[in-house]
Amino acid sequence: MPKLADMIYASRNWVEVGGKKWEAWEAANEAKNEECLQEMRSILAQHKAFDLELYKLFSMQEDNFTIPSEDDMWNLMQADALRKRIDDQRVFALYNMSKEEIAASHFGDFLAKFSYVGLDLIELRAVYACLPKVFLNDPNDYKMIWRNQVREKLFKWTVEEKEGYLSADIIRHPVYRHLPPSIKVTM
């Protein structure tokens, strides 16, 4: 039977190895995560501008109303799909919050409002790039546990992506494939 001191040493050694693994992974993926965050911020901003264009197009007075072209109708359908995605994923609100605001958020927001279930790889990378390393007012470590769960899922997906096992729908949600031409996507 192992001695208690040996077990404590082994667990400390395991934590050190695990910590180094995460530090290495974060250093290797930091730039890509930040790039994904900028991409998602850009898409959300462009989508707001495109919504305003569509609103102007379809809310004209009766005497100025013109029948929209097929392209305008197609763009409207695609914009609706993106709007539904943005509305469904309330975690996207993190993209426009500062790290200080996120750190001070209530832990209940992370359990319900900021659910990362259903995100694609690029969206999840962007969420992780938003997160602070330390949270305020987190005595039970719920926020840190949530952050670590996001990191573990992201780690798993990045390994699968590197090995070629990740499906295209997990890398990028299908709604981003047919965006209106005025919304530019670089990824």
Side-chain angles (χ1 to χ4, degrees), residues 120-150:
D120 65 33
L121 176 63
I122 293 172
E123 294 166 343
L124 193 63
R125 278 182 179 274
V127 166
Y128 191 74
C130 294
L131 300 177
K133 302 233 185 268
V134 178
F135 291 95
L136 303 175
N137 196 18
D138 191 21
N140 297 326
D141 287 337
Y142 291 134
K143 297 180 202 178
M144 194 53 97
I145 290 168
W146 185 88
R147 181 185 187 275
N148 291 342
Q149 289 172 341
V150 170

Side-chain angles (χ1 to χ4, degrees), residues 66-135:
T66 57
I67 297 174
S69 68
E70 283 186 38
D71 287 342
D72 288 337
M73 292 304 290
W74 173 254
N75 290 341
L76 178 65
M77 289 188 315
Q78 298 310 315
D80 271 347
L82 181 59
R83 183 182 305 108
K84 182 172 179 354
R85 176 111 181 122
I86 291 169
D87 290 346
D88 289 349
Q89 299 295 341
R90 296 189 309 170
V91 71
F92 289 174
L94 293 176
Y95 297 155
N96 296 317
M97 294 172 68
S98 69
K99 290 188 188 273
E100 293 79 22
E101 291 173 316
I102 295 169
S105 295
H106 191 272
F107 77 88
D109 289 342
F110 292 92
L111 301 177
K113 183 178 179 183
F114 300 142
S115 173
Y116 59 88
V117 175
L119 297 182
D120 65 33
L121 176 63
I122 293 172
E123 294 166 343
L124 193 63
R125 278 182 179 274
V127 166
Y128 191 74
C130 294
L131 300 177
K133 302 233 185 268
V134 178
F135 291 95

Side-chain angles (χ1 to χ4, degrees), residues 3-63:
K3 294 180 183 177
L4 182 60
D6 292 336
M7 291 171 47
I8 291 172
Y9 174 78
S11 69
R12 283 188 186 152
N13 190 30
W14 182 81
V15 168
E16 280 183 27
V17 170
K20 289 178 184 174
K21 172 184 125 180
W22 289 124
E23 287 174 13
W25 179 85
E26 286 190 16
N29 286 279
E30 186 175 14
K32 182 68 172 171
N33 294 345
E34 189 61 37
E35 183 182 333
C36 291
L37 175 59
Q38 297 309 318
E39 172 76 8
M40 290 306 300
R41 283 180 175 162
S42 171
I43 288 173
L44 293 179
Q46 291 177 63
H47 184 261
K48 284 182 184 178
F50 183 73
D51 269 356
L52 185 59
E53 287 177 33
L54 286 176
Y55 176 77
K56 288 177 183 175
L57 177 68
F58 288 102
S59 66
M60 293 180 165
Q61 299 296 329
E62 236 178 78
D63 54 340

